[in-house]
Amino acid sequence: LDTTRVVFVNGHFRADLSDDLKGQKGVVIDSLQHHLAHGPVKEHYGTLAPTSERLFTAMNTAAPTDGLILLVTKGVKVEKPIHVLHVTTSERQLVQPRDLFMLHEGAEAEVIVEHVAAPFDSAQGTPQALVNSVRECVVGEGARLTIHKLQHEVTGPANISFEGVRVEAKGHFSISTTTLDGALVRNEVKVSLAGPEAHAELNGVYLLNGTTHCDNHTYIGHDVPDCTSDELYKGLVSGKGTSVFNGKVYVKQDAQRTRAYQSNANILLGDDAKV
């Protein structure tokens, strides 16, 4: 698969390990720290991840490590998928990635976010490192953003992530989360369908064994009429693995002609597995 690779090691952007990020006109892919003073960033930063709602969002906002800015201007389609690789190498640390994705009217982008970790000493029991991620996504009118998340951190660190998303009229947002390994994984997705005919698609699959715990918490707000959403989460849980799925669809009083679908299916392999 031909992609544009962006590498973060222990939360810090590594230009030396990343591809050339200035390849396409109308697309900005860079370390977010370099752009905090820019107008579009100041306009949207913090709006979809308010610090009052979650302790972990407040922690991230107080001291973000670094993160990715993706800005796609009106009508531009990003030519290649963007592969964001997060590598955690140290057992004792706090890593707080902070991303901001902004797609203007009619823009399109596909992003693969992969989390991997150096093997940690599982004899210590609970993982000592914590990755606490926050990503805000602004999907403009008629724009299309597709995110694939792959979590493959064999013995840790603990990985807690939040996605705050706003989808404007006729926009399309899709996220697929695959959890293959980890010690403690918590994925939270909060989507606001803010314009007519906006659509959100949330998919997840988790293959848990040993003592892995995986949470998937989703919230989709149908804030205006004529919006649609689909959620499908499936899991295989074995050993002493545990999983939680907590899905909320909130339909505002005036949001007529809403269509929302949600399903969670699990297979337990063994007497000690729990969902």
Side-chain angles (χ1 to χ4, degrees):
L1 182 64
D2 187 19
T3 62
T4 300
R5 177 175 281 200
V6 189
V7 180
F8 291 84
V9 178
N10 297 326
H12 295 283
F13 174 59
R14 290 286 299 269
D16 56 322
L17 301 175
S18 303
D19 291 340
D20 175 20
L21 303 180
K22 295 183 169 60
Q24 186 178 352
K25 190 176 179 183
V27 179
V28 176
I29 308 168
D30 199 2
S31 159
L32 181 59
Q33 284 191 341
H34 299 159
H35 298 266
L36 291 174
H38 293 177
V41 174
K42 288 165 77 171
E43 181 185 349
H44 294 294
Y45 189 96
T47 58
L48 299 173
T51 55
S52 58
E53 291 185 3
R54 284 174 81 247
L55 167 66
F56 289 107
T57 300
M59 282 174 54
N60 179 290
T61 304
T65 312
D66 197 354
L68 179 70
I69 178 174
L70 171 62
L71 172 63
V72 188
T73 55
K74 182 176 178 179
V76 172
K77 181 176 181 179
V78 180
E79 291 163 356
K80 295 191 289 190
I82 301 158
H83 179 200
V84 186
L85 181 63
H86 284 277
V87 184
T88 307
T89 64
S90 171
E91 289 192 26
R92 295 176 179 273
Q93 64 172 335
L94 172 63
V95 179
Q96 303 204 109
R98 180 69 177 237
D99 297 344
L100 178 59
F101 295 177
M102 297 171 287
L103 273 64
H104 291 177
E105 184 182 335
E108 289 187 31
E110 182 176 5
V111 184
I112 302 159
V113 181
E114 183 177 2
H115 286 268
V116 298
F120 295 160
D121 181 10
S122 57
Q124 291 185 0
T126 55
Q128 305 292 308
L130 169 62
V131 177
N132 173 29
S133 310
V134 172
R135 179 179 299 110
E136 295 175 287
C137 302
V138 183
V139 182
E141 192 170 323
R144 178 177 285 262
L145 173 62
T146 304
I147 297 177
H148 310 277
K149 274 176 74 172
L150 177 60
Q151 298 169 319
H152 191 33
E153 296 157 311
V154 179
T155 51
N159 191 321
I160 295 172
S161 67
F162 176 82
E163 318 266 346
V165 184
R166 187 174 73 245
V167 188
E168 301 295 350
K170 296 186 179 178
H172 186 286
F173 172 76
S174 168
I175 185 166
S176 301
T177 304
T178 303
T179 307
L180 298 179
D181 259 311
L184 170 67
V185 179
R186 182 183 178 104
N187 301 307
E188 293 187 52
V189 184
K190 184 175 182 180
V191 181
S192 167
L193 299 173
E197 296 181 49
H199 178 70
E201 196 168 300
L202 279 54
N203 297 304
V205 61
Y206 38 93
L207 307 175
L208 312 182
N209 55 30
T211 55
T212 299
H213 176 87
C214 177
D215 276 1
N216 282 293
H217 295 263
T218 68
Y219 175 101
I220 297 181
H222 283 258
D223 297 339
V224 298
D226 297 308
C227 292
T228 54
S229 63
D230 289 302
E231 292 182 75
L232 178 60
Y233 282 76
K234 292 186 173 185
L236 277 170
V237 186
S238 63
K240 293 185 176 177
T242 56
S243 167
V244 172
F245 175 75
N246 175 9
K248 291 190 178 77
V249 174
Y250 184 78
V251 181
K252 283 201 174 171
Q253 192 166 352
D254 293 336
Q256 305 298 318
R257 298 172 300 282
T258 284
R259 185 188 64 73
Y261 172 83
Q262 186 184 87
S263 176
N264 175 227
N266 300 280
I267 295 176
L268 299 179
L269 302 173
D271 294 339
D272 294 324
K274 293 189 177 74
V275 175

